[in-house]
Amino acid sequence: MPVAFSKRVDWWQGATMAALLVLLVLFILYPVVRVLSVSLSNEEGRLTFLHFANFFRRPLFREALWNSLWSGLLVVFFGSLMAVPLAYFSARYEFRGKILLQTLATLPLVIPPFVGAVALQLILGRSGMVNLLLMRWFDWSIPFMEGLTGVVLVQTLHYFPFIMLNTAVSLSNIDPSMEEMAQNMGCHGLRLFRRITLPLMLPGFMAGSLLTFIRAIDDLGTPLMLNYKNLLAPQAYLRITTVGIDDVDGYAICVILVIFSGLILGLSLLPHMGIFLLSFSKVWSFSILPTTYTLDNYTEIFFRAPHFVKNTLLYTLLAASFDVLLGAAIAFLLLRSRLWGRNLLDAIATLPLAIPGVVLAVGYLRVFHGWDFPGAGAPLTSTWLILVIAYTMRRLPYTVRACYAALQQVHVSLEESAQNLGASRLTTFYKITLPLIAGGLVAGGLIAFITSCVELSATIMLVPRIELGPISYGIYIYMQSALGRGAGAALGVVAILLVSLGTYLTHRIFGARAGSAFRV
Amino acid sequence: MLMRAADIRLENISKRYGDLWAVRQITLHIERGEFFTFLGPSGCGKSTLLRTIAGFLIPDEGTVYLDGAPVNHVPPWERDVGMVFQNYALWPHMTVFENVAFGLRERKIPRDEIKDRVLQALNQVDLKGTEGRRPSQLSGGQQQRIALARTLVIQPRALLLDEPLSNLDAKLRAEMRIELLKLQRDLGITTIYVTHDQEEALALSTRIAVMESGRVVQEGGPREIYEQPREKFVAEFVGKSNLFSGTAVRAGDGMIEIETEEGLRIQTSSAAQSCVSGAGERVLFNIRPEAIELLGAGEKSTRINRISGKVTASAYQGSFIEYEIESRGRSIKANVINPKGKPLFQRGDEVAMVFDPEDVGVIRG
């Protein structure tokens, strides 16, 4: 009964597909569309571009837009200056310490940028380590961290690994014979790089640059920490939090955000050292190094206010598990089914890469704050579940990509031969497919875990109450006061340790291909 | 298009990867206009040797000479030897025209001349009209010919081919083989060809070096390699073979009689076998399957050697039939030309294998 069989199979696949589509539409597409529609409608609900016109009429917003674009471009530019040579050396040369270089280069991803911002303040800020020394020796200081310069500096140090990792993967994917052929034809050196290597590595470089650009203009924590509010993300945040979620200007800004969406390593590691010192210091202000050391900060975060660490583990592990389940199901449907709507599913699942966290959060607030979630007795936005959902959806592209790549390696004939020997579809999946893609699943889950641990853009808008906040939120709260900075740094160290552990495990599983885990 | 043809000399070349010698003390002289093949299984060092000549590898020991000049430290881009890679290495970001024009642009040839020469090269490989396309839009065979045109258009002094036909299907491979043969003979360009396919090597080459684990085990023309293998490895790797080991029991009258380990008695003519000196000596010898004639159990023949056995398998190949015959526990291959119209032997038939003493090739004494 081949017909009945194939019909039943299609029905199951179709049902899964429909369920996934509903889920993704509800939690990704609809919130974003709501943000868009609010920004495009007037009080009577009719289409209007008035809000956008108003946006562009206000000098403050025009400046914020310009600053965002300009800082994004600067971050990409300086990030490329750091990333491309590093990528070239690590992809093309064998040398002692290559692994060390690659690991160090991924470390900046490990620390949340806004934590780095605080640390860099202590080292490069107006009364930071370097400027205090400069003042002492030369009676002269450099305003590294003032205004936009500071934002660009912090973001460059933080995001350049995206460019480096993507470029390095792209470089190592170039077949050596492509370059050897050109050498054989008489081409070498810089000319070889310009004519062959550069064009071939461009896709990876562009992907990394784009990701960096989006991340930089989406980054809310850094400008807030450095108290530089004249950018789009902080403007959207301030409008929504101070004026309320009905303020349409905030939505307009969100839409604008969507639309424009050695020394080097030593420099990039400065924030880590700063955070480490700060976490053991009682007071560190107007001095080159902390004056008194203490363990109080750790007592604070582990015993007096342990909920930040606990929440982070709960939320991120849940989100990572959901991501693995969803990612595996989506990847399976994309690669193994012929169903209508696969491309749509793929598109929506990839969308979060281009959607700033702020925008998704605003959309959630708009969509879910009105109605009580069944069983919770309160709107979804008043429970911690909304954070899990936000993390799951924001990191879904990573697990889909990881699962897709893993499943692509499994030739259909491996599954078919199992079925030919009498295994049902389900048995085949459990006994053949799952073991073969397990590495990809775990790696994808780890990436979701790592990146969720330090998520702030959506977190800061969605946390219903302080005691429901995760580590990133805790750091933000603590860092508001000079006295809380030590505890904030201690939380930062915990975040770094968690993320380092995840990164280490990812490297163990992915091996040399660890870089590809962070690819778009 | 007239080609310059280089004379290539390899002197005592060794190349090591870590603890493994990829190539060990190889000395070869490839003369102007030759079609020289490095033949061997994967991992025998043939590609390493080719890449050493192209300049992508510097030998740990020994010297490469191009036209008499040592080139060990000349970088690849100054050697002027054209290479065609196994995967063609066509640049995906350039059109066919740009790919073929690449080497000419590197040589600062005037624009008009580049255009003429590229079109002429494409014409030569029968791919006129594809210059605006991307390599990915062409079939495997077309990509292969573009790669060849791209290399030939710079008129290199030697052509290095690294398994160029291995990615093509069987029929296309046979066609390209003939085209390559004609092209090379017309141009007279010194060509080094790397392959693991013995048929290709025999069909194309003027001389062949059979390689095994980094060494050249035998060097010679195609007939010499096939008809007089000097090593067991060569006999087994090139063509099909029936290898026997045994002892010479009687020598004299221009004949040597050998008794194999299985107890079969076989005569070989001593004229061709100077390596066997006399009775009592251990020998290894080979009988090619096509040298064996099959007769029904009772049939008579004038051929001196006769072994009776039983057919255990027969495979019909069209132009010939491949038999496997068992005799005294030993299985022997025999390829027999299709005896049109006559009945074929079947599994289980008693047969007699007959062959001449000249067809028994002693490999080692």
Side-chain angles (χ1 to χ4, degrees):
Chain A
M1 301 232 298
V3 176
F5 173 75
S6 76
K7 264 190 182 157
R8 199 183 47 185
V9 167
D10 280 353
W11 189 86
W12 267 108
Q13 284 190 350
T16 316
M17 169 78 89
L20 284 172
L21 270 177
V22 166
L23 198 68
L24 297 196
V25 167
L26 181 60
F27 287 109
I28 295 175
L29 205 54
Y30 183 54
V32 175
V33 170
R34 273 304 286 273
V35 172
L36 187 70
S37 72
V38 169
S39 70
L40 282 177
S41 54
N42 59 15
E43 277 104 66
E44 288 92 55
R46 280 211 290 275
L47 179 72
T48 173
F49 289 98
L50 191 68
H51 305 310
F52 286 95
N54 282 338
F55 176 89
F56 285 108
R57 224 172 277 141
R58 286 204 214 162
L60 176 68
F61 287 174
R62 272 212 308 272
E63 202 191 322
L65 170 65
W66 169 247
N67 282 340
S68 274
L69 293 178
W70 178 234
S71 70
L73 285 176
L74 284 177
V75 171
V76 168
F77 177 74
F78 289 115
S80 303
L81 286 188
M82 297 167 72
V84 173
L86 279 177
Y88 195 83
F89 287 124
S90 78
R92 282 306 151 83
Y93 293 95
E94 288 300 326
F95 51 90
R96 270 168 212 278
K98 180 171 165 170
I99 307 260
L100 186 71
L101 173 78
Q102 285 167 336
T103 311
L104 287 179
T106 51
L107 266 188
L109 296 178
V110 158
I111 187 172
F114 60 94
V115 175
V118 175
L120 271 183
Q121 277 283 28
L122 291 168
I123 292 164
L124 293 175
R126 192 179 304 162
S127 48
M129 189 190 284
V130 171
N131 274 330
L132 285 181
L133 288 174
L134 283 176
M135 285 301 283
R136 183 185 291 175
W137 293 334
F138 309 110
D139 198 23
W140 172 65
S141 68
I142 305 170
F144 294 109
M145 301 297 290
E146 306 299 313
L148 202 61
T149 319
V151 175
V152 170
L153 181 65
V154 171
Q155 290 180 340
T156 302
L157 290 181
H158 184 73
Y159 289 124
F160 87 90
F162 280 115
I163 303 181
M164 181 190 151
L165 292 169
N166 281 287
T167 308
V169 171
S170 212
L171 268 173
S172 51
N173 280 344
I174 298 176
D175 188 329
S177 65
M178 293 284 168
E179 286 171 345
E180 289 177 351
M181 189 63 220
Q183 291 184 334
N184 183 257
M185 295 266 115
C187 189
H188 62 101
L190 268 180
R191 204 172 148 73
L192 174 70
F193 182 79
R194 188 170 59 76
R195 291 199 64 186
I196 306 294
T197 318
L198 184 66
L200 290 176
M201 71 173 213
L202 214 53
F205 173 74
M206 291 305 285
S209 298
L210 207 63
L211 197 60
T212 302
F213 184 81
I214 291 170
R215 287 298 190 92
I217 64 169
D218 174 35
D219 182 16
L220 177 55
T222 307
L224 285 181
M225 278 295 162
L226 294 179
N227 201 23
Y228 184 79
K229 308 249 160 58
N230 219 347
L231 288 166
L232 286 181
Q235 283 299 328
Y237 169 70
L238 293 174
R239 298 299 296 193
I240 305 269
T241 48
T242 55
V243 185
I245 60 162
D246 290 323
D247 175 62
V248 281
D249 286 333
Y251 293 89
I253 295 171
C254 287
V255 175
I256 301 275
L257 263 179
V258 176
I259 293 169
F260 295 107
S261 302
L263 169 74
I264 291 166
L265 286 173
L267 216 54
S268 67
L269 288 179
L270 275 181
H272 297 72
M273 297 187 310
I275 280 299
F276 188 74
L277 281 178
L278 184 57
S279 77
F280 287 105
S281 69
K282 201 160 214 152
V283 191
W284 186 9
S285 189
F286 295 96
S287 60
I288 292 161
L289 286 173
T291 36
T292 347
Y293 292 92
T294 173
L295 279 175
D296 279 359
N297 299 323
Y298 286 93
T299 323
E300 163 77 17
I301 62 155
F302 283 123
F303 299 106
R304 280 197 289 280
H307 53 261
F308 291 125
V309 176
K310 211 180 67 202
N311 289 340
T312 288
L313 287 175
L314 175 68
Y315 302 167
T316 54
L317 288 177
L318 269 179
S321 310
F322 290 148
D323 272 338
V324 167
L325 287 177
L326 292 174
I330 291 171
F332 189 84
L333 287 179
L334 291 183
L335 276 170
R336 295 285 194 262
S337 83
R338 295 263 158 278
L339 292 179
W340 177 91
R342 280 180 303 142
N343 295 335
L344 184 65
L345 192 68
D346 190 21
I348 304 179
T350 314
L351 194 60
L353 279 181
I355 300 294
V358 180
V359 175
L360 198 69
V362 170
Y364 280 4
L365 291 174
R366 185 82 200 184
V367 172
F368 298 113
H369 83 111
W371 54 277
D372 287 359
F373 188 67
L380 207 47
T381 45
S382 311
T383 70
W384 54 268
L385 276 176
I386 193 72
L387 286 166
V388 177
I389 294 171
Y391 295 160
T392 306
M393 294 304 159
R394 288 209 70 195
R395 305 312 180 207
L396 187 58
Y398 294 115
T399 47
V400 171
R401 284 293 162 271
C403 297
Y404 189 90
L407 192 58
Q408 219 168 19
Q409 305 290 319
V410 181
H411 199 276
V412 188
S413 63
L414 293 177
E415 294 168 0
E416 285 173 348
S417 60
Q419 288 173 0
N420 176 259
L421 292 174
S424 70
R425 268 170 187 267
L426 207 60
T427 318
T428 306
F429 186 78
Y430 277 117
K431 289 200 168 162
I432 308 292
T433 318
L434 201 57
L436 288 173
I437 65 170
L441 293 183
V442 174
L446 282 170
I447 296 155
F449 168 74
I450 294 169
T451 47
S452 298
C453 273
V454 293
E455 211 284 347
L456 183 70
S457 297
T459 307
I460 196 172
M461 308 196 92
L462 291 175
V463 167
R465 292 190 298 279
I466 285 194
E467 63 271 22
L468 291 179
I471 287 181
S472 57
Y473 189 73
I475 297 172
Y476 180 70
I477 297 294
Y478 278 124
M479 291 290 183
Q480 300 291 318
S481 70
L483 282 176
R485 288 199 157 181
L491 276 180
V493 171
V494 172
I496 292 170
L497 289 179
L498 278 178
V499 176
S500 304
L501 181 70
T503 313
Y504 172 75
L505 290 176
T506 316
H507 274 265
R508 278 293 296 268
I509 291 167
F510 261 96
R513 293 176 294 119
S516 64
F518 292 96
R519 285 217 294 165
V520 184
Chain B
M1 202 173 357
L2 202 72
M3 290 284 171
R4 297 167 296 154
D7 157 288
I8 301 168
R9 215 144 46 79
L10 306 177
E11 225 175 68
N12 231 356
I13 302 285
S14 294
K15 179 73 195 175
R16 193 174 50 186
Y17 295 121
D19 289 338
L20 186 86
W21 286 98
V23 161
R24 272 186 292 184
Q25 299 185 325
I26 287 187
T27 300
L28 286 172
H29 185 193
I30 296 132
E31 283 165 44
R32 286 176 213 288
E34 262 201 291
F35 195 116
F36 196 97
T37 298
F38 299 159
L39 173 66
S42 58
C44 73
K46 55 190 192 299
S47 289
T48 303
L49 203 54
L50 193 76
R51 293 168 61 77
T52 309
I53 297 169
F56 297 120
L57 297 172
I58 297 172
D60 294 320
E61 289 163 20
T63 315
V64 179
Y65 295 91
L66 288 179
D67 285 328
V71 293
N72 274 17
H73 295 288
V74 176
W77 48 90
E78 284 168 16
R79 289 201 184 189
D80 204 20
V81 291
M83 180 147 169
V84 175
F85 286 82
Q86 184 172 11
N87 61 358
Y88 318 141
L90 295 174
W91 300 297
H93 61 296
M94 297 182 188
T95 61
V96 166
F97 183 91
E98 288 165 334
N99 263 285
V100 179
F102 186 91
L104 297 173
R105 285 185 182 153
E106 288 304 312
R107 281 160 179 72
K108 310 269 189 304
I109 307 284
R111 190 179 289 263
D112 292 344
E113 193 188 333
I114 290 183
K115 199 173 172 205
D116 289 347
R117 280 171 68 174
V118 168
L119 294 181
Q120 193 197 342
L122 288 175
N123 208 5
Q124 196 174 23
V125 295
D126 268 337
L127 282 173
K128 210 160 71 172
T130 58
E131 53 269 18
R133 293 208 224 152
R134 297 269 167 183
S136 57
Q137 294 170 293
L138 301 177
S139 71
Q142 288 173 319
Q143 290 183 17
Q144 218 283 312
R145 282 185 281 168
I146 295 296
L148 198 59
R150 181 176 63 177
T151 302
L152 288 176
V153 78
I154 62 166
Q155 302 181 353
R157 48 183 176 166
L159 181 60
L160 310 182
L161 303 164
D162 188 0
E163 308 231 10
L165 306 183
S166 63
N167 286 340
L168 304 178
D169 63 62
K171 208 174 156 91
L172 205 53
R173 195 156 58 222
E175 277 173 33
M176 281 302 296
R177 199 156 74 190
I178 295 291
E179 280 192 43
L180 199 59
L181 183 72
K182 287 194 287 193
L183 196 64
Q184 193 270 340
R185 300 296 194 267
D186 286 348
L187 297 172
I189 184 173
T190 311
T191 302
I192 302 182
Y193 192 88
V194 160
T195 186
H196 63 265
D197 183 327
Q198 40 104 11
E199 275 183 48
E200 263 172 32
L202 294 175
L204 291 168
S205 319
T206 53
R207 275 197 303 151
I208 298 170
V210 182
M211 296 179 63
E212 188 202 7
S213 40
R215 294 172 306 117
V216 171
V217 281
Q218 189 172 353
E219 181 196 340
R223 288 199 68 174
E224 188 187 335
I225 294 288
Y226 185 77
E227 293 165 20
Q228 293 149 35
R230 286 200 309 267
E231 296 263 348
K232 185 180 171 204
F233 175 80
V234 179
E236 281 180 322
F237 191 77
V238 183
K240 297 217 165 98
S241 55
N242 291 300
L243 283 170
F244 295 89
S245 49
T247 317
V249 288
R250 201 159 52 86
D253 301 339
M255 285 287 183
I256 302 167
E257 189 168 332
I258 303 164
E259 184 173 308
T260 70
E261 284 171 348
E262 297 86 5
L264 300 166
R265 291 222 165 201
I266 288 165
Q267 286 192 20
T268 176
S269 73
S270 60
Q273 321 297 354
S274 53
C275 56
V276 183
S277 48
E281 202 171 329
R282 301 274 308 156
V283 292
L284 181 72
F285 64 95
N286 178 30
I287 304 164
R288 293 287 184 193
E290 71 271 15
I292 297 173
E293 189 187 349
L294 281 194
L295 302 173
E299 283 181 78
K300 293 249 173 342
S301 167
T302 55
R303 298 189 187 211
I304 290 170
N305 288 308
R306 184 182 184 106
I307 301 172
S308 46
K310 193 187 255 184
V311 175
T312 51
S314 87
Y316 181 73
Q317 301 281 357
S319 63
F320 67 98
I321 295 98
E322 204 179 318
Y323 289 106
E324 198 180 272
I325 296 134
E326 198 181 284
S327 178
R328 296 196 177 212
R330 163 72 198 251
S331 127
I332 298 168
K333 293 188 278 276
N335 291 350
V336 176
I337 291 176
N338 193 345
K340 308 206 179 59
K342 293 190 203 151
L344 305 175
F345 294 108
Q346 300 299 325
R347 185 179 151 91
D349 286 356
E350 295 286 344
V351 291
M353 294 171 274
V354 295
F355 47 94
D356 295 325
E358 288 71 28
D359 288 321
V360 178
V362 175
I363 292 163
R364 258 190 278 134

